[in-house]
Amino acid sequence: MSKKHDFILFDLDGTLSDPLQGIGRSINYALAHFGYPERALDDLRFCVGPPLKYSFRELTGTDSDAHVRELIDKYRERYGDVGYAENTLYPGIPEALAAIDAAGIPMGLCTSKRADFAERILDLFGLRQHFYFVSGGDVDIHKWEQIAALVADGIVSRASLMVGDREVDIDAAHRNGLAAGGVLWGFGSHAELAAGAPRYLFSQPAEIYPALAG
């Protein structure tokens, strides 16, 4: 099989698994600790994908970097204990990754989530063996910067493909000259993803591997 892309970068939250319960409950844990009202889980859907600092700024109205750091630390207290495991794998993901792996196309994970949390989630679902590496983010790191570092280090090339469910994934790929694929089963709407002009829009995981064939 000829290959359209030499490497596939996958987002995690909203792309491989649905993390809303664990993320939402951990956000509420942090909010409640500092006296803010808790939110319904559906009202926290916008928090899945972008870095936490933006979510906590919007939820609390604070402009204090130090307070945002406190909120994130409190969030991670619960998330690292139980929140990471309050996660549901999307149907068809194991099969899609296995097909790509079997075709000899290498994959990596590029997530705004801290790398150790991402590793634990992949281990939870028995998916870690499919990925050459896990690139995790932190408070002041943007996903486009993560990809830029991977390109600069020669780990991925501009022939690679970034697959994710939010506009931030599409933008991160395009800023670095990579193609992007948007998935419609996650937390980004069709309109949000289409506005970013990805090369691919996938409606189910089974569509990813066929699109990679030359």
Side-chain angles (χ1 to χ4, degrees):
M1 183 194 80
S2 60
K3 302 170 184 176
K4 290 184 178 179
H5 304 287
D6 62 359
F7 207 102
I8 314 299
L9 286 173
F10 278 97
D11 173 49
L12 177 58
D13 291 342
T15 301
L16 302 183
S17 66
D18 180 347
L20 181 60
Q21 187 174 87
I23 287 176
R25 288 177 174 177
S26 299
I27 286 174
N28 278 331
Y29 175 81
L31 291 175
H33 178 82
F34 289 102
Y36 296 103
E38 296 185 30
R39 307 295 184 91
L41 288 184
D42 275 350
D43 293 339
L44 296 174
R45 292 178 63 86
F46 78 94
C47 301
V48 179
L52 279 169
K53 67 176 182 178
Y54 300 115
S55 300
F56 278 122
R57 286 190 185 280
E58 184 165 343
L59 289 166
T60 65
T62 184
D63 59 2
S64 166
D65 290 339
H67 187 43
V68 168
R69 181 78 246 189
E70 289 177 327
L71 286 157
I72 291 173
D73 287 345
K74 184 56 64 173
Y75 163 93
R76 287 175 169 171
E77 182 178 287
R78 183 189 185 279
Y79 190 84
D81 185 22
V82 296
Y84 79 94
E86 296 171 327
N87 210 318
T88 305
L89 195 63
Y90 288 117
I93 287 296
E95 294 82 0
L97 296 180
I100 296 168
D101 211 354
I105 304 174
M107 293 174 281
L109 196 78
C110 186
T111 174
S112 296
K113 187 182 301 299
R114 215 171 67 185
D116 59 324
F117 290 155
E119 293 268 10
R120 289 164 70 181
I121 291 167
L122 292 178
D123 287 338
L124 179 70
F125 293 126
L127 300 178
R128 182 63 182 86
Q129 75 274 11
H130 293 304
F131 296 94
Y132 276 59
F133 63 82
V134 171
S135 170
D138 210 333
V139 177
D140 292 315
I141 299 175
H142 296 275
K143 185 165 285 188
W144 70 264
E145 293 173 312
Q146 292 174 244
I147 296 179
L150 292 170
V151 173
D153 291 342
I155 297 171
V156 301
S157 77
R158 290 185 170 85
S160 301
L161 172 69
M162 175 73 211
V163 177
D165 72 310
R166 300 299 306 270
E167 189 275 336
V168 67
D169 301 308
I170 310 304
D171 177 69
H174 289 168
R175 283 194 186 211
N176 289 285
L178 276 65
V183 307
L184 296 172
W185 54 84
F187 289 82
S189 67
H190 186 287
E192 175 187 334
L193 291 169
R199 182 172 300 180
Y200 311 100
L201 277 176
F202 302 116
S203 61
Q204 54 185 321
E207 295 175 358
I208 300 175
Y209 169 69
L212 304 179

